[in-house]
Amino acid sequence: MTVLVWTGVALLGGLGAVCRFLVDRTVSARAPGGFPYGTLAVNVSGALLLGFLGGLALPANVALVVGTGFVGSYTTFSTWMLETQRLGEERQIRSAVANLVVSVVLGLAAAGLGVFLGGRL
């Protein structure tokens, strides 16, 4: 890998993390209750974007820089799991199960839609 690829991953990774923070905070501030809507919005939109990039069939280095750098730092599996675990600890079992199911279903649908849209370009 070249220095340019490493630099691109680092820069886009930072941008992805900032975007995740902004989207999560914006959605969470407007959402009711303790359900992690911000993380859901981040992960579903990230799945859509990664699917779209996959559908574009980008060159390997470009896909690595954008997919790993930006989308990898934008989306967050660990926060999703921690928030689900927290909901379980708080005995909000329906919310915990909904967080798992809705995230997987919407994430897969968004990724599929992204692949479809990207493949059309």
Side-chain angles (χ1 to χ4, degrees):
M1 274 190 263
T2 67
V3 173
L4 187 58
V5 170
W6 283 94
T7 303
V9 169
L11 291 174
L12 287 178
L15 180 62
V18 169
C19 288
R20 176 178 74 211
F21 175 77
L22 293 173
V23 170
D24 187 355
R25 298 279 291 202
T26 300
V27 171
S28 295
R30 289 169 173 74
F35 191 83
Y37 290 105
T39 301
L40 177 65
V42 163
N43 286 339
V44 171
S45 62
L48 176 70
L49 179 57
L50 194 57
F52 181 76
L53 295 172
L56 290 176
L58 298 171
N61 281 346
V62 174
L64 176 67
V65 169
V66 178
T68 301
F70 181 81
V71 181
S73 67
Y74 175 68
T75 58
T76 175
F77 181 82
S78 57
T79 301
W80 174 47
M81 290 295 100
L82 181 63
E83 289 171 341
T84 303
Q85 189 268 338
R86 179 191 51 82
L87 289 168
E89 277 185 353
E90 294 173 356
R91 305 270 191 246
Q92 296 181 46
I93 304 305
R94 287 184 181 168
S95 292
V97 171
N99 193 34
L100 291 171
V101 173
V102 170
S103 293
V104 170
V105 170
L106 290 182
L108 287 171
L113 177 61
V115 169
F116 173 78
L117 294 173
R120 297 293 177 250
L121 294 181

